[in-house]
Amino acid sequence: MSNDGTPPGDLGPAGQFTARFDAIDAAAHQPLPVDELGKKEQRKFESEMRSEIHRLVIYSLRFGALILGSLMVVRFWHLAAPDTWRWLSDSEVQSMDKMLFSSAFGGFVFSYLRDAVANRNK
């Protein structure tokens, strides 16, 4: 027996507590095993995330095209329809023109048309 009354080789409550933490510390510093199932799940998650983002972008583009198309229909309606059928004032039509043709999309359409006309003239 040792001086504190524990049998030889027995660490006692404090020693057992320290030994457990030493074992936890040693296990914490070991490299993690390669988990093939985890990698497969990660790839599946990333694929689903890309698919979802792609779907949201497509819906956003469709919504933007719908809004742009609606604005163009209203604008052309106000050009062609008689005065009694129009519901926008001249200042509202002008602000719609600014929105349509000063935006990035308007710039893209303008540059596309300019290139198309230049290629046709060659």
Side-chain angles (χ1 to χ4, degrees), residues 32-43:
L32 293 176
V34 176
D35 184 12
E36 291 301 320
L37 183 60
K39 285 184 178 181
K40 185 177 178 182
E41 289 294 321
Q42 180 69 24
R43 285 191 300 268

Side-chain angles (χ1 to χ4, degrees), residues 14-71:
Q16 289 175 355
F17 191 70
T18 304
R20 287 183 186 150
F21 275 113
D22 288 342
I24 291 171
D25 188 45
H29 292 295
Q30 292 177 355
L32 293 176
V34 176
D35 184 12
E36 291 301 320
L37 183 60
K39 285 184 178 181
K40 185 177 178 182
E41 289 294 321
Q42 180 69 24
R43 285 191 300 268
K44 181 180 176 186
F45 173 76
E46 289 172 356
S47 173
E48 289 174 357
M49 183 65 73
R50 278 193 301 271
S51 174
E52 186 68 23
I53 290 172
H54 178 71
R55 193 167 56 94
L56 288 173
V57 167
I58 294 298
Y59 285 141
S60 299
L61 289 173
R62 288 178 180 167
F63 181 72
L66 180 70
I67 296 294
L68 184 66
S70 300
L71 285 172

